[in-house]
């Protein structure tokens, strides 16, 4: 009995990672209907850049976040202004092709620089500590921290989007990116800010993931896929739904892995498809398609 | 001195030419009526003036400054605001958030949130409602209020009576004198000629991308307008 509770709790905790992968993806899609196929690779890129910093300076990876988050945000803003804004228009294909191309470029650049070896960020003894919440049921302090952080990120984003003038400008741009210009707001700048935010969350996700599981230059696409599934299970445009979607995905994978280690990823996909069949717009849809 | 002047203004949608050399002038605090049938180029003219559509640089001057082809967000800062056709409110935002977004440029002037509420008292009651949950007339008031929040010296109103009941149209139009008194010139685009004649100082009639008739509204003959509107052959 306790082992099943344990499996479900572990699955829920992993949901924090998936929610972080998904939040950045969801932000960009929400504001400018751009599907960033390279999102998973940017997460991995952040992990590798942090690895390089750690190897050079011996600074703790979590401390590196102070530098890596603003760095990735600035990179995201520039990428949006210089490249991605030019792909936006009535046709949805150009942004897909360009981000798909970016994904390949990043993976190969990482392969050249860091080789195909699996890496892990040295978190010290942080990742092996656990607390006993029930007799015989231990949960890892690190994934618990990640889940709490994911909830904090989502809560913070909600506050930002719904309680600040800039958040209102982002929501308005999501509604109508032409009329926003009549308010004296440059839509290209708002798009840049949305991508900056997305990349900031991707940087956080990359470092946290890099300290918990192994990563290599090719692990981006699976992060992207899990992020997508979390968003769609939870319902498009609903950030709290995304967190729940991540947890459901995590639990399904944990159950699958318990049955047979080879079924871990498969079980997640099956749960995703089952939910999609039962509720095509996700569990808690907010945005009209 | 003219507030706004267009000289030989042309506009294109891809290869399709929509405006063929438009010359209009708007003086400070003047109310201009712009009439014409569907596809005459009224909205295109407004979109060119607001910067949503590109224009030759010297074809449009505002306060003696060439502004043709400038971006819309820059022109709002210079004092050009538009109430777009179909209102184009932001559905995710409340009435108050829509209005406040209009004040993003922080231009100085007479209009504040409270002044807009004084002009349209019903909006103060509905300030927390999602903007697009309001009635059509109330939504139009939000759209006008949102444009006023940028304290424009030139306000462009595109078909603000479209889809509204006559009694509601009168409510909306009742706001124009107060807007003008605050120092704003207005261009009113309408398909309804009699409505335009009531509020405008001068009238331009457009047909197929050209000005076919212009003059003071007081001296305009309804038959002459109708002829210009439909392109009657004599």
């Amino acid at each position: 009995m306790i082992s099943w509770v344990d499996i479900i709790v572990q699955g829920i905790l992993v949901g924090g990672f998936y929610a972080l992968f998904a939040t950045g993806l969801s932000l960009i899609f929400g504001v400018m209907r751009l599907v960033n196929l390279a999102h998973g690779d940017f997460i991995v890129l952040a992990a590798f850049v942090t690895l390089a910093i750690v190897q050079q300076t011996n600074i703790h990876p979590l401390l590196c976040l102070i530098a890596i988050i603003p760095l990735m945000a600035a990179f995201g803003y520039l990428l949006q202004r210089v490249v991605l804004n030019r792909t936006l228009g009535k046709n949805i294909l150009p942004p897909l092709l360009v981000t798909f191309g970016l994904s390949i470029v990043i993976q190969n650049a990482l392969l050249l620089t860091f080789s195909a070896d699996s890496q892990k960020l040295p978190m010290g003894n942080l990742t092996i500590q656990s607390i006993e919440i029930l007799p015989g049921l231990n949960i890892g302090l690190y994934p618990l921290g990640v889940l709490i952080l994911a909830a904090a990120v989502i809560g913070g984003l909600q506050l930002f989007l719904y309680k600040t003038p800039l958040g209102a400008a982002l929501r308005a741009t999501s509604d109508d990116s032409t009329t926003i210009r009549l308010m004296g707001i440059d839509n290209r700048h708002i798009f840049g800010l949305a991508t900056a935010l997305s990349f900031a969350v991707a940087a956080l996700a990359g470092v946290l993931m890099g300290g918990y599981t192994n990563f290599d230059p090719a692990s981006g696409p699976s992060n992207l896929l899990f992020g997508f599934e979390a968003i769609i299970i939870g319902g498009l445009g609903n950030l709290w739904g995304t967190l729940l979607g991540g947890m459901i995905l995590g639990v399904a994978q944990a159950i699958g892995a318990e049955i047979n280690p080879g079924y871990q990823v498969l079980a997640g996909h099956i749960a995703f498809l089952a939910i999609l069949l039962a509720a095509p717009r996700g569990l808690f849809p907010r945005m009209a398609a | 001195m003219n507030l706004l002047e267009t000289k030989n203004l042309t506009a294109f949608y891809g290869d399709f030419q929509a405006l063929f050399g438009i010359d209009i002038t708007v003086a400070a605090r003047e109310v201009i009526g712009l009439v014409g049938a569907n596809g005459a180029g009224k909205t295109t003219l407004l979109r060119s003036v607001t910067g949503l559509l590109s224009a030759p640089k010297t074809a449009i001057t505002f306060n003696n400054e060439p502004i043709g082809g400038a971006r819309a967000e820059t022109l709002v800062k210079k004092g050009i605001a538009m109430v777009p056709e179909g209102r184009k409110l932001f559905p995710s935002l409340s009435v108050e958030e829509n209005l406040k977004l209009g004040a993003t440029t922080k231009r100085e002037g007479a209009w504040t949130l409270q002044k807009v509420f004084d002009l349209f008292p019903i909006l103060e009651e509905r300030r927390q409602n999602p903007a697009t949950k309001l009635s059509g007339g109330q939504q139009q008031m939000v759209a006008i209020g949102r444009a006023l929040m940028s304290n424009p010296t030139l306000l462009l109103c595109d078909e603000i009576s479209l889809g509204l009941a006559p009694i509601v149209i009168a409510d909306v139009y009742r706001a124009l004198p107060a807007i003008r008194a605050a120092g704003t010139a207005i261009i009113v685009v309408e398909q309804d000629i009699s409505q335009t004649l009531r509020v405008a100082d001068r009238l331009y009639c457009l047909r197929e991308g050209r000005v076919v008739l212009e003059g003071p509204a007081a001296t305009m003959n309804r038959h002459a307008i109708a002829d210009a509107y439909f392109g009657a052959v004599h």
Side-chain angles (χ1 to χ4, degrees):
Chain A
M1 180 56 208
I2 198 79
S3 79
W4 281 105
V5 175
D6 188 42
I7 289 159
I8 288 168
V9 170
Q10 306 307 335
I12 288 174
L13 290 177
V14 173
F17 287 99
Y18 296 158
L20 280 178
F21 295 165
T23 303
L25 208 56
S26 186
L27 257 173
I28 295 191
F29 180 78
V31 172
M32 61 198 109
R33 306 293 180 273
L34 185 147
V35 176
N36 179 10
L37 290 180
H39 191 74
D41 303 292
F42 285 116
I43 291 172
V44 174
L45 175 70
F48 270 110
V49 172
T50 307
L51 182 72
I53 297 174
V54 170
Q55 284 172 345
Q56 293 296 318
T57 63
N58 240 339
I59 297 173
H60 193 275
L62 291 183
L63 218 54
C64 291
L65 280 172
I66 300 169
I68 204 84
I69 288 178
L71 205 70
M72 283 293 284
F75 177 54
Y77 183 86
L78 270 177
L79 184 75
Q80 184 66 40
R81 291 299 300 255
V82 178
V83 180
L84 297 179
N85 272 345
R86 293 167 203 271
T87 69
L88 295 173
K90 283 209 177 80
N91 192 340
I92 61 157
L93 202 54
L96 284 176
L97 290 176
V98 168
T99 54
F100 181 65
L102 278 173
S103 161
I104 294 171
V105 169
I106 294 166
Q107 285 180 40
N108 284 284
L110 288 176
L111 196 58
L112 267 176
T113 321
F114 295 95
S115 85
D117 294 347
S118 267
Q119 307 282 356
K120 199 168 175 186
L121 293 174
M123 287 287 174
N125 58 3
L126 257 182
T127 47
I128 51 170
Q129 292 179 13
S130 64
I131 47 170
E132 193 171 28
I133 49 167
L134 285 173
L137 178 59
N138 288 291
I139 61 172
L141 215 49
Y142 187 84
L144 180 66
V146 170
L147 183 66
I148 292 169
L149 255 178
V153 165
I154 287 173
L157 273 173
Q158 291 278 355
L159 275 179
F160 167 69
L161 287 172
Y162 288 91
K163 300 287 177 208
T164 67
L166 191 56
L170 268 135
R171 283 185 292 137
T173 307
S174 167
D175 285 341
D176 185 339
S177 61
T178 303
T179 304
I180 193 74
R181 297 175 54 198
L182 294 174
M183 309 294 112
I185 296 170
D186 190 339
N187 54 350
R188 300 169 302 181
H189 175 62
I190 297 289
F191 290 164
L193 289 181
T195 308
L197 262 177
S198 162
F199 274 48
V201 181
L204 179 66
V207 172
L208 293 176
M209 173 214 66
Y212 191 67
T213 58
N214 291 325
F215 59 94
D216 61 68
S219 24
S222 64
N223 293 339
L224 175 79
L225 194 58
F226 297 151
F228 266 134
E229 290 181 341
I231 292 174
I232 293 178
I233 291 173
L236 221 51
N238 184 343
L239 287 176
W240 290 116
T242 299
L243 183 61
L244 190 71
M247 290 176 180
I248 291 173
L249 193 62
V251 169
Q253 291 183 349
I255 292 172
E258 182 62 22
I259 297 164
N260 179 330
Y263 290 168
Q264 182 183 357
V265 174
L266 179 69
H269 295 333
I270 288 173
F272 165 70
L273 285 175
I275 290 170
L276 206 57
L277 275 176
R281 300 186 60 217
L283 296 176
F284 305 100
R286 179 175 291 169
M287 196 183 295
Chain B
M1 189 191 91
N2 287 320
L3 179 67
L4 176 84
E5 189 170 349
T6 70
K7 267 213 163 65
N8 196 25
L9 173 64
T10 52
F12 296 85
Y13 293 105
D15 288 336
F16 175 76
Q17 185 164 9
L19 296 181
F20 298 83
I22 299 274
D23 298 326
I24 67 163
T25 61
V26 183
R29 292 173 185 246
E30 200 175 20
V31 177
I32 297 292
L34 204 59
V35 297
N38 261 338
K42 309 181 300 289
T43 296
T44 306
L45 177 53
L46 293 197
R47 286 174 65 89
S48 305
V49 171
T50 51
L52 287 180
L53 205 61
S54 81
K57 183 161 171 78
T58 54
I60 309 172
T61 50
F62 184 68
N63 279 327
N64 281 337
E65 184 192 350
I67 58 158
R71 287 183 62 88
E73 50 270 27
T74 342
L75 294 178
V76 182
K77 291 174 188 125
K78 292 183 191 294
I80 300 179
M82 175 149 93
V83 184
E85 184 180 353
R87 307 183 275 265
K88 301 283 167 63
L89 299 183
F90 301 111
S92 311
L93 272 56
S94 69
V95 168
E96 185 172 336
E97 284 175 320
N98 265 279
L99 291 172
K100 281 184 171 165
L101 209 55
T104 304
T105 56
K106 297 194 166 64
R107 266 176 66 88
E108 296 289 317
W111 295 104
T112 59
L113 191 62
Q114 194 50 52
K115 284 277 162 53
V116 170
F117 285 153
D118 291 346
L119 185 65
F120 301 118
I122 186 74
L123 297 187
E124 186 158 18
E125 289 170 33
R126 300 286 164 87
R127 63 199 289 175
Q128 301 301 342
N129 291 42
T132 46
K133 291 282 187 283
L134 270 56
S135 74
Q138 290 166 1
Q139 287 190 35
Q140 194 63 70
M141 291 170 190
V142 177
I144 295 171
R146 188 179 64 178
L148 289 176
M149 291 290 282
S150 70
N151 281 300
T153 46
L154 176 64
L155 178 69
L156 313 172
C157 297
D158 197 355
E159 308 241 12
I160 53 178
S161 68
L162 198 70
L164 301 183
I167 187 164
V168 180
I169 296 175
D171 272 351
V172 170
Y173 267 93
R174 209 166 290 139
L176 288 199
I179 296 170
R180 167 194 227 163
T184 304
I186 307 169
I187 299 181
V188 181
V189 162
E190 280 293 349
Q191 298 206 28
D192 178 350
I193 294 172
S194 44
Q195 183 61 55
T196 316
L197 280 174
R198 267 199 292 279
V199 298
D201 302 317
R202 284 192 302 122
L203 213 65
Y204 289 94
C205 188
L206 262 57
R207 191 175 74 237
E208 290 169 4
R210 294 176 176 83
V211 174
V212 286
L213 185 73
E214 59 178 285
T219 65
M220 280 273 181
N221 174 322
R222 291 184 63 92
H223 290 293
I225 298 173
D227 284 353
Y229 202 109
F230 296 113
V233 181
H234 290 285

